[in-house]
Amino acid sequence: MNNIRIGIVGYGNLGRGVEVGLNNHPDMELVGIFSRRDPETLDTTSPTYALDDILDFTDKIDVLILCGGSKTDIPTQGPALAEHFNTVDAYDTHALIPEYYKKMDKIAQENENVAVISTGWDPGLFSMNRLIQEAILPTGDTYTFWGRGVSQGHSDAVRGVEGVKHAVQYTVPDPLMIDQIQEGKKVPYEATEAHTREVYVVLEEDADPVAVEKAIKEMPDYFEDYRTSVSMISEEEFNHEHQDMPHGGAVIRQGQTSEEEMSIIDYSLTLESNPEFTAAVNIAYARAAYKLAGEKQFGAHTVLDIPPYYLSSKSKEELIAELL
Amino acid sequence: MNNIRIGIVGYGNLGRGVEVGLNNHPDMELVGIFSRRDPETLDTTSPTYALDDILDFTDKIDVLILCGGSKTDIPTQGPALAEHFNTVDAYDTHALIPEYYKKMDKIAQENENVAVISTGWDPGLFSMNRLIQEAILPTGDTYTFWGRGVSQGHSDAVRGVEGVKHAVQYTVPDPLMIDQIQEGKKVPYEATEAHTREVYVVLEEDADPVAVEKAIKEMPDYFEDYRTSVSMISEEEFNHEHQDMPHGGAVIRQGQTSEEEMSIIDYSLTLESNPEFTAAVNIAYARAAYKLAGEKQFGAHTVLDIPPYYLSSKSKEELIAELL
């Protein structure tokens, strides 16, 4: 069998995660990284190309993994590229996913391509587990926890506050609440009560720490409803202690199989590198996209509809013998 | 939409679990319980019928859930019933699953039925998670733990020892080893080292406790290679403390996303009633069998090839909007 030929669009944290992650998959090869930046300037030994030249590669790439941001990149790049390529993305603007699905489905169908959208872990693996947990245990409650990990969105929001030079925000779940849920106790759950937010800030010279802390803690949507701690740290400490991108979380279902008996399903992730893990999920779904395209199952697909064995490099028969 | 009409074949612990579990699913209804015993003698308010009369129900049942044992019941009942019905079973003799799959696939295809085989949690949900974990994190190690829970097979083995009146065996995983794996430490894993076995025995009158304990601890395959404790207890204590059927376990994958960074995926179950949870999984896959049959996807299917959304009573569009 020929290798699956992969292209990466966008060379930020996620793109670098896909680049390094492909080393784990001997049945796949990286054709190139496509960027809006001057390809000569990318710090990599992989082949790099200008995104404007990507249509020269329609016969050389089986699946494109779209590694741009969900705010502005994916909503335009997804539809444009699904016209010419099979694509995988980690589009994560939850409220707009149904609309994006419809758009990608139409374009991919019309052009006989496959578009796997919104992979990663939330949306993605967490969504799949919520579905399976609820289908098996329909009478019960699902609890989701995020962290401990860096939230890019919240870190960006803090960096927007006047007087902030650098900042990072960690989302921290309540470990006691998780313990209680794992023990089968019914817990009143609100995301705002179940998580705290830890902010580390390097101030601009002459900034007022009291004003900065107040501006952060009172920021609506992001911090106002949460218990938030703000710590002012030195640039040296920031560079030394806060450069990693760990994350993780859990989707836990408590369900009654009968009035007397409870079952608990707990799906937990502990990730030293959030972008590398998200990339690892994208890569497995790129294999699925390749197989789906081979079977002419054109259109948009998600983690909710893709048969698990499409993720594997092994045949269905091997998997039944080895894993079932 | 009409309700999905379910039949239960076999009325042991699993059959009772399906019967009570169907109360959680308003889109399904129980047509009847089919037993080799005199249907009048079954202790239930549900309709009961003789298994010999089941062919009168080919037009009245959408999916049969086969709740017999894997040793002798399923290998004969599965092929016989897949000729006339869509079926779901929890066949769990791991080594023989490939052969059973082929046989069921042929019969179901020839008769335009769907046979979902080997559902439950191991094989079943654990198999699916092993597949997905390995596909996403191919460079790493998978650890499986079972328990704390009652092993029917090991309890049966102890009951076969001379001088034993009643017995129950609990499989107990090593909590320290689980902690170390969850923390990302590499652990030398052997199932025999990772689990201990706790046996509780009620002796026959005049039985020799020393001989019984020796016979259990030295039993090949079952106990010889494990750290095993044997406790002699009174019949009263046995009836009072050891009638529940809890179980559970975990499939944990440690994988390197790059040389530097590790991710851990942890899928854990805590079950107050093992048969009721296994039944809950069977019921969700009965819904999948119904949908697959509606789409004429005849033949044998497993948890490895069924798209997750087939388990749910909701439409793909609803699930994308609510869960993705």
Side-chain angles (χ1 to χ4, degrees), chain B residues 241-252:
Chain B
E241 303 288 338
H242 297 286
Q243 296 307 305
D244 290 338
M245 285 172 285
H247 217 314
V251 178
I252 307 173

Side-chain angles (χ1 to χ4, degrees), chain B residues 9-195:
Chain B
V9 178
Y11 198 60
N13 290 323
L14 183 57
R16 279 191 291 273
V18 173
E19 180 186 30
V20 69
L22 285 170
N23 295 327
N24 291 315
H25 297 266
D27 63 329
M28 300 177 134
E29 62 182 68
L30 177 60
V31 174
I33 297 164
F34 297 82
S35 172
R36 280 171 307 203
R37 287 178 276 168
D38 177 354
E40 302 286 317
T41 65
L42 300 183
D43 181 23
T44 174
T45 56
S46 302
T48 57
Y49 304 98
L51 182 55
D52 285 343
D53 296 334
I54 201 164
L55 293 188
D56 298 342
F57 289 81
T58 50
D59 290 340
K60 301 184 186 75
I61 286 173
D62 295 310
V63 185
L64 279 184
I65 302 181
L66 311 186
C67 300
S70 287
K71 204 163 179 183
T72 57
D73 299 333
I74 301 294
T76 56
Q77 290 177 354
L81 293 169
E83 227 182 290
H84 305 283
F85 294 92
N86 300 310
T87 61
V88 172
D89 67 56
Y91 183 67
D92 69 357
T93 308
H94 290 266
L96 300 179
I97 287 175
E99 184 187 319
Y100 181 67
Y101 174 85
K102 271 185 208 150
K103 186 182 284 186
M104 291 294 275
D105 190 45
K106 185 164 185 288
I107 294 171
Q109 295 230 29
E110 283 172 359
N111 295 281
E112 302 205 333
N113 285 319
V114 167
V116 180
I117 71 158
S118 302
T119 71
W121 57 277
D122 196 4
L125 300 177
F126 273 19
S127 321
M128 184 202 299
N129 275 278
R130 284 187 197 105
L131 188 169
I132 296 174
Q133 290 177 4
E134 286 184 29
I136 292 170
L137 300 172
T139 307
D141 296 294
T142 300
Y143 304 88
T144 302
F145 293 92
W146 296 273
R148 186 177 194 264
V150 175
S151 164
Q152 280 318 334
H154 286 78
S155 299
D156 286 346
V158 175
R159 284 190 282 266
V161 172
E162 202 183 316
V164 172
K165 184 172 181 186
H166 301 297
V168 61
Q169 194 266 192
Y170 298 90
T171 306
V172 185
D174 179 345
L176 289 179
M177 193 182 280
I178 296 178
D179 285 349
Q180 289 177 327
I181 291 167
Q182 286 171 336
E183 286 163 13
K185 298 206 179 88
K186 297 277 177 196
V187 173
Y189 174 94
E190 294 281 343
T192 49
E193 292 298 313
H195 299 85

Side-chain angles (χ1 to χ4, degrees), chain A:
Chain A
M1 198 172 103
N2 293 326
N3 277 355
I4 303 173
R5 300 166 301 171
I6 301 291
I8 294 172
V9 178
Y11 198 59
N13 290 324
L14 183 58
R16 279 192 290 274
V18 173
E19 181 186 28
V20 69
L22 285 170
N23 294 327
N24 291 316
H25 296 267
D27 63 330
M28 300 177 135
E29 61 182 69
L30 177 61
V31 174
I33 296 164
F34 297 83
S35 171
R36 281 171 306 202
R37 287 178 277 169
D38 177 355
E40 302 286 318
T41 65
L42 300 183
D43 181 22
T44 174
T45 56
S46 302
T48 57
Y49 304 98
L51 182 55
D52 285 342
D53 296 334
I54 200 164
L55 293 188
D56 298 342
F57 290 81
T58 50
D59 291 339
K60 301 184 186 75
I61 286 173
D62 295 310
V63 184
L64 279 184
I65 301 181
L66 310 185
C67 301
S70 288
K71 202 162 179 184
T72 56
D73 298 333
I74 302 295
T76 56
Q77 289 177 355
L81 293 168
E83 225 182 293
H84 306 283
F85 294 92
N86 301 310
T87 62
V88 172
D89 66 56
Y91 183 67
D92 68 357
T93 309
H94 290 266
L96 301 179
I97 287 175
E99 184 187 321
Y100 181 67
Y101 174 85
K102 272 185 207 149
K103 186 183 282 186
M104 291 294 276
D105 190 46
K106 184 164 185 289
I107 294 170
Q109 295 232 27
E110 284 172 359
N111 295 281
E112 301 205 334
N113 286 319
V114 167
V116 180
I117 71 158
S118 301
T119 71
W121 56 277
D122 196 5
L125 300 178
F126 273 18
S127 321
M128 184 203 299
N129 276 278
R130 284 188 198 106
L131 188 168
I132 297 173
Q133 290 177 3
E134 287 184 28
I136 292 169
L137 300 173
T139 306
D141 296 293
T142 300
Y143 304 88
T144 302
F145 293 92
W146 296 273
R148 184 176 194 262
V150 174
S151 163
Q152 282 315 336
H154 286 78
S155 300
D156 286 346
V158 174
R159 283 189 283 267
V161 171
E162 203 182 316
V164 172
K165 186 173 182 185
H166 301 297
V168 63
Q169 193 266 191
Y170 298 91
T171 306
V172 185
D174 179 346
L176 288 179
M177 193 182 280
I178 296 178
D179 285 350
Q180 289 177 325
I181 291 167
Q182 287 172 335
E183 286 164 12
K185 299 206 178 87
K186 296 277 177 196
V187 172
Y189 173 93
E190 294 282 342
T192 49
E193 292 297 313
H195 299 85
T196 55
R197 299 195 175 281
E198 288 177 13
V199 180
Y200 296 86
V201 169
V202 180
L203 290 172
E204 300 274 12
E205 247 176 88
D206 306 325
D208 174 1
V210 176
V212 167
E213 179 168 345
K214 188 168 184 299
I216 295 169
K217 287 189 169 177
E218 295 181 354
M219 197 184 298
D221 298 333
Y222 286 87
F223 295 101
E224 195 182 25
D225 299 329
Y226 288 84
R227 280 165 290 159
T228 301
S229 68
V230 178
S231 306
M232 307 303 171
I233 60 173
S234 68
E235 188 151 3
E236 191 188 354
E237 184 181 340
F238 182 82
N239 289 333
H240 201 261
E241 303 288 338
H242 297 286
Q243 297 305 305
D244 290 338
M245 285 172 285
H247 218 314
V251 177
I252 308 173
R253 180 86 178 171
Q254 293 177 335
Q256 296 297 133
T257 50
S258 62
E259 273 178 41
E260 296 77 26
E261 310 277 13
M262 179 188 276
S263 289
I264 299 171
I265 309 178
D266 179 349
Y267 186 79
S268 296
L269 300 174
T270 308
L271 315 173
E272 287 183 354
S273 167
N274 182 12
E276 285 188 12
F277 184 75
T278 302
V281 179
N282 283 6
I283 293 169
Y285 278 97
R287 184 182 289 114
Y290 177 77
K291 293 189 188 182
L292 288 164
E295 298 178 358
K296 301 187 187 300
Q297 297 194 43
F298 302 126
H301 294 269
T302 76
V303 298
L304 306 182
D305 69 71
I306 293 176
Y309 81 98
Y310 280 57
L311 302 178
S312 173
S313 60
K314 297 177 181 170
S315 72
K316 188 156 72 173
E317 289 66 32
E318 280 177 285
L319 292 166
I320 287 173
E322 288 175 19
L323 296 181
L324 202 62

